Amino acid sequence: MVADRRTPDAPLFLRLAGEQLRWDLLRELARSDLRVGDLITAVGQPQSLVSYHLRKLRSGGLVSSRRSSADGRDTYYRLDLGRCAELLAGTGQGLHPALDLVPPAPPAEESVRGRVLFLCTGNSSRSQMAEALLRHRAPRVEVMSAGSHPKPLHPNAFAVMRERGIDLSGHRSKHLDEFAGQHFDHVISLCDKVREVCPEFPGHPGLVHWSMPDPSAAGDTAEVGYPAFSRAADELSTRIGFLVQNLAHPRPQETRS
């Protein structure tokens, strides 16, 4: 009798990312949240093909989407880097125990440097929390935040950051014009509206977009307002963890033919 030599299916990450166009889409989304039109331009493929492969990546849990708050006809796609890390860990071990993926150690504080600007519309919550979280995580990074229509810091932003051991009492709202002409290694927009009006900065750092809902839009009651700010802070903390690794180990600029 012949022994059954069937093996388990290839790991999910390989099945999802092993196709070249899907790999290209993942690479683009690892840098920034993007719309279908942005991805079509980046990978040079027709919309039908890009949309088909995005559906595959969404069904596998690597990519999620949300409607743009600037234009409800648009949808931003986001790569879940945490989910990628989980699946990659299982991919190596599925082939051989010696290939178990070891998560990278936190980078040494002195290796994390650069100038980062976070932007949103009001500079009252998302960008202020992002600024504070990155400064707390990487004190040697010069980090700032601003808005296209600044307004006072939201009380829930103070409360959520205080819960995480960070004091926002020295922060003030600033207009993005205050930083015109300055050089930044990373300019990161957190609001779909400000992405549309963000000016160019010297050196053309390239705008990175994190499409995040405005937590203040959930309402001001404790039941819905505070949890929305807490969710925003959690998402920012996760994204900033990956940003810190990027600041410590910057990827060379790629050129497209």
Side-chain angles (χ1 to χ4, degrees):
M1 181 176 179
V2 178
D4 186 353
R5 297 182 61 84
R6 287 178 299 176
T7 59
D9 291 339
L12 179 60
F13 187 84
L14 288 183
R15 285 183 275 132
L16 288 171
E19 199 281 334
Q20 183 62 50
L21 178 52
R22 288 204 285 270
W23 179 252
D24 291 342
L25 293 171
L26 292 173
R27 292 273 294 179
E28 294 296 334
L29 291 171
R31 186 188 66 83
S32 175
D33 298 357
L34 296 169
R35 299 163 298 189
V36 169
D38 303 321
L39 289 166
I40 291 168
T41 300
V43 301
Q45 296 293 337
Q47 179 175 344
S48 58
L49 201 56
V50 169
S51 296
Y52 169 78
H53 287 291
L54 281 173
R55 285 195 297 272
K56 290 287 187 181
L57 294 172
R58 287 181 64 194
S59 68
L62 295 188
V63 170
S64 61
S65 64
R66 63 175 295 272
R67 287 285 182 184
S68 168
S69 59
D71 185 341
R73 296 168 296 181
D74 279 335
T75 296
Y76 278 98
Y77 290 86
R78 174 203 170 192
L79 177 62
D80 188 338
L81 287 168
R83 174 68 171 156
C84 289
E86 292 173 7
L87 292 178
L88 277 169
T91 297
Q93 197 170 47
L95 184 61
H96 192 283
L99 300 180
D100 191 14
L101 185 68
V102 178
E109 184 177 299
E110 61 271 14
S111 70
V112 186
R113 296 175 178 272
R115 298 191 86 231
V116 177
L117 176 64
F118 290 105
L119 300 174
C120 66
T121 299
N123 192 215
S124 62
S125 54
R126 289 163 290 184
S127 55
Q128 293 280 359
M129 291 191 293
E131 176 188 349
L133 286 164
L134 179 55
R135 184 176 292 117
H136 181 74
R137 190 82 63 91
R140 291 177 181 266
V141 174
E142 293 184 69
V143 55
M144 287 137 277
S145 67
S148 56
H149 294 83
K151 56 186 179 181
L153 270 67
H154 197 288
N156 280 335
F158 282 99
V160 165
M161 288 293 98
R162 189 182 306 116
E163 190 178 67
R164 288 160 172 77
I166 299 173
D167 183 10
L168 292 185
S169 60
H171 285 225
R172 65 178 179 89
S173 297
K174 301 167 291 295
H175 195 281
L176 58 85
D177 285 350
E178 190 170 321
F179 301 101
Q182 295 190 28
H183 176 273
F184 293 94
D185 299 295
H186 297 270
V187 177
I188 301 173
S189 59
L190 308 173
C191 164
D192 300 335
K193 293 178 181 178
V194 83
R195 181 186 188 270
E196 304 301 322
V197 299
C198 182
E200 283 284 344
F201 287 87
H204 305 287
L207 180 67
V208 171
H209 186 52
W210 298 350
S211 180
M212 296 182 59
D214 181 0
S216 67
D220 290 326
T221 64
E223 291 77 12
V224 297
Y226 188 85
F229 275 79
S230 187
R231 289 192 298 272
D234 288 342
E235 180 176 344
L236 285 168
S237 183
T238 298
R239 288 186 183 250
I240 285 169
F242 288 107
L243 174 62
V244 167
Q245 289 286 347
N246 194 20
L247 289 167
H249 309 287
R251 199 164 69 182
Q253 290 292 322
E254 298 175 356
T255 57
R256 292 186 175 277
S257 56

